[in-house]
Amino acid sequence: MSTLVSSEVVLEPADNKRLSSLVGPFDDNIKQIERRLGVEITYRDNAFTIMGQAQQTNGVAELLKLLYIETQPVRGQIPDLAPDQVHLAIQEAKCLERAE
């Protein structure tokens, strides 16, 4: 039996447009990460809590930080984080994939 742990990450600077890009429409990006990596993610403003296995929760915290960097403004515009970008980030962190 494995123990669930939680990990918390606060993404700085707090920017609602960047956070909206990160979580995706209808939280689709967050749901994709949850499904693929077997974690549960809750958030309020720029504070995220990840619940799951220790390796996954720590890895997902780092993944969220990396994806948040991708939302930095380019020429004053905040890019939308596309589902394929999230997919690619998860693939690059393949050690995080949960065993089926």
Side-chain angles (χ1 to χ4, degrees):
M1 183 162 104
S2 51
T3 305
L4 295 179
V5 297
S6 69
S7 179
E8 295 185 12
V9 63
V10 176
L11 301 175
E12 296 288 345
D15 181 323
N16 287 338
K17 290 181 181 178
R18 288 181 65 190
L19 290 165
S20 176
S21 175
L22 173 67
V23 300
F26 307 107
D27 292 348
D28 286 347
N29 295 339
I30 296 298
K31 290 175 186 172
Q32 180 180 2
I33 294 169
E34 288 177 325
R35 276 192 315 272
R36 295 277 303 280
L37 301 177
V39 297
E40 181 181 320
I41 302 171
T42 56
Y43 66 94
R44 183 173 185 98
D45 300 322
N46 63 328
F48 289 74
T49 302
I50 304 113
M51 191 77 156
Q53 303 300 318
Q55 179 184 357
Q56 263 71 16
T57 58
N58 294 329
V60 169
E62 292 304 312
L63 180 64
L64 289 173
K65 290 177 191 175
L66 291 172
L67 288 171
Y68 195 61
I69 291 170
E70 295 293 319
T71 66
Q72 288 182 345
V74 177
R75 293 187 212 124
Q77 298 292 317
I78 295 175
D80 286 330
L81 196 59
D84 60 337
Q85 287 175 282
V86 176
H87 172 74
L88 183 60
I90 294 170
Q91 288 294 107
E92 289 174 354
K94 61 184 169 222
C95 62
L96 296 176
E97 290 280 355
R98 75 175 166 177
E100 298 290 335

